[in-house]
């Protein structure tokens, strides 16, 4: 069965452009983003890998390790790295796993046979410091991902893991958040000293509590 939210992220050992990766050791106490690419030397993947390299500082700020995977070999990846730099101006600054035997791809269900028998789809997994799966997204090979959205979800996950709030539609860092419906108004007054406004009894907004 496909990996679901709350499942333990399968640990693995694999070769990468930065040497052997043991997933749990690589992640340590950090958050993680594991994302797959269908194939080396392909245009959309080239743009995505460059973009993640550009955003590496943003992932670092969020205590998040990034880890790419493409089904070709590390040797092939090493040949592609120069193209990524030429095409996007970004040097690869995080590991890209080689998975020619599909060991990691199969472990994470990244190959969807009805889409393609041998190539991975564009999967994204966010893994929490507890090594549990916090988010899965699957894009088709023809659609490049929006990594700003991945950063946005990380902000939401990290906020909501520490406070009894959730984040509304299109929320971004700094905007008001929603108080969990299970909290009474009296408790909300104590827990959220910046105050709150009630739109419906179950929809109460408060300023982001960790700012
Ligand atoms: C691409 O990265 O451009 C791509 C890879 C595999 C299939 C389609 C597009």
């Amino acid at each position: 069965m496909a990996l679901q939210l709350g499942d333990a992220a399968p640990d693995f050992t694999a070769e990468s452009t930065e040497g052997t990766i043991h997933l749990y050791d690589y992640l340590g106490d950090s958050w993680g983003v594991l994302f797959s690419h269908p194939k080396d030397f392909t245009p959309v993947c080239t743009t995505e890998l460059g973009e993640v390299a550009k955003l590496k500082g943003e992932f670092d700020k969020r205590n998040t390790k990034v880890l790419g995977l493409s089904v070709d070999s590390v040797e092939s990846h090493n040949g592609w790295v120069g193209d990524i730099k030429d095409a996007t101006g970004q040097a690869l600054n995080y590991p890209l796993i080689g998975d020619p035997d599909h060991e990691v791809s199969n472990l994470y269900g990244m190959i969807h046979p009805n889409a393609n028998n041998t190539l991975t789809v564009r999967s994204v997994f966010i893994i929490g410091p507890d090594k549990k799966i916090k988010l899965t997204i699957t894009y088709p090979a023809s659609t490049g991902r929006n990594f700003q959205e991945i950063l946005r979800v990380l902000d939401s996950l990290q906020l909501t893991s520490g406070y009894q709030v959730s984040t509304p539609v299109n929320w971004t860092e700094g905007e008001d958040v929603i108080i969990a419906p299970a909290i009474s108004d009296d408790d909300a007054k104590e827990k959220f000293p910046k105050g709150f406004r009630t739109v419906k009894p179950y929809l109460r907004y408060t300023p982001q509590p960790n700012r």
Side-chain angles (χ1 to χ4, degrees):
M1 194 168 70
L3 284 173
Q4 298 186 330
L5 303 192
D7 289 353
D11 198 10
F12 59 79
T13 299
E15 295 309 312
S16 84
T17 48
E18 296 190 7
T20 305
I21 296 277
H22 304 285
L23 180 68
Y24 280 20
D25 293 344
Y26 175 69
L27 295 177
D29 295 329
S30 303
W31 291 71
V33 176
L34 171 66
F35 55 103
S36 61
H37 295 275
K39 200 170 168 44
D40 290 7
F41 298 99
T42 50
V44 176
C45 298
T46 301
T47 63
E48 288 187 320
L49 287 163
E51 180 65 12
V52 174
K54 191 167 115 195
L55 293 174
K56 173 79 167 25
E58 292 298 320
F59 288 103
D60 289 345
K61 271 191 226 162
R62 291 162 176 83
N63 186 29
T64 300
K65 301 261 182 76
V66 290
L67 187 55
L69 174 150
S70 176
V71 290
D72 293 308
S73 65
V74 170
E75 193 183 20
S76 165
H77 295 352
N78 286 334
W80 187 22
V81 161
D83 282 7
I84 294 167
K85 174 97 171 60
D86 286 349
T88 69
Q90 302 295 327
L92 203 67
N93 50 10
Y94 55 89
L96 182 61
I97 291 171
D99 195 34
D101 297 329
H102 299 171
E103 282 175 20
V104 180
S105 310
N106 286 334
L107 208 50
Y108 277 78
M110 292 165 165
I111 294 178
H112 295 200
N114 289 330
N116 189 298
N117 263 333
T118 53
L119 307 183
T120 62
V121 290
R122 297 186 196 281
S123 301
V124 184
F125 295 91
I126 294 183
I127 301 169
D130 59 0
K131 309 289 185 295
K132 298 270 171 60
I133 303 279
K134 305 295 182 187
L135 164 136
T136 67
I137 320 183
T138 304
Y139 292 71
S142 52
T143 304
R145 285 159 282 207
N146 182 339
F147 283 92
Q148 293 293 343
E149 168 63 1
I150 308 306
L151 290 169
R152 191 189 77 86
V153 180
L154 273 168
D155 286 339
S156 173
L157 283 166
Q158 293 182 353
L159 172 68
T160 59
S161 68
Y163 296 88
Q164 288 175 289
V165 296
S166 46
T167 57
V169 61
N170 295 339
W171 174 87
T172 57
E173 177 74 14
E175 294 178 355
D176 289 355
V177 299
I178 294 171
I179 297 172
I183 299 177
S184 68
D185 279 354
D186 283 346
D187 287 348
K189 280 178 199 148
E190 276 185 29
K191 284 181 193 282
F192 302 101
K194 292 175 189 163
F196 60 90
R197 68 192 156 88
T198 303
V199 177
K200 295 282 176 192
Y202 54 83
L203 177 55
R204 295 164 298 171
Y205 288 96
T206 190
Q208 186 174 327
N210 62 347
R211 283 171 74 102

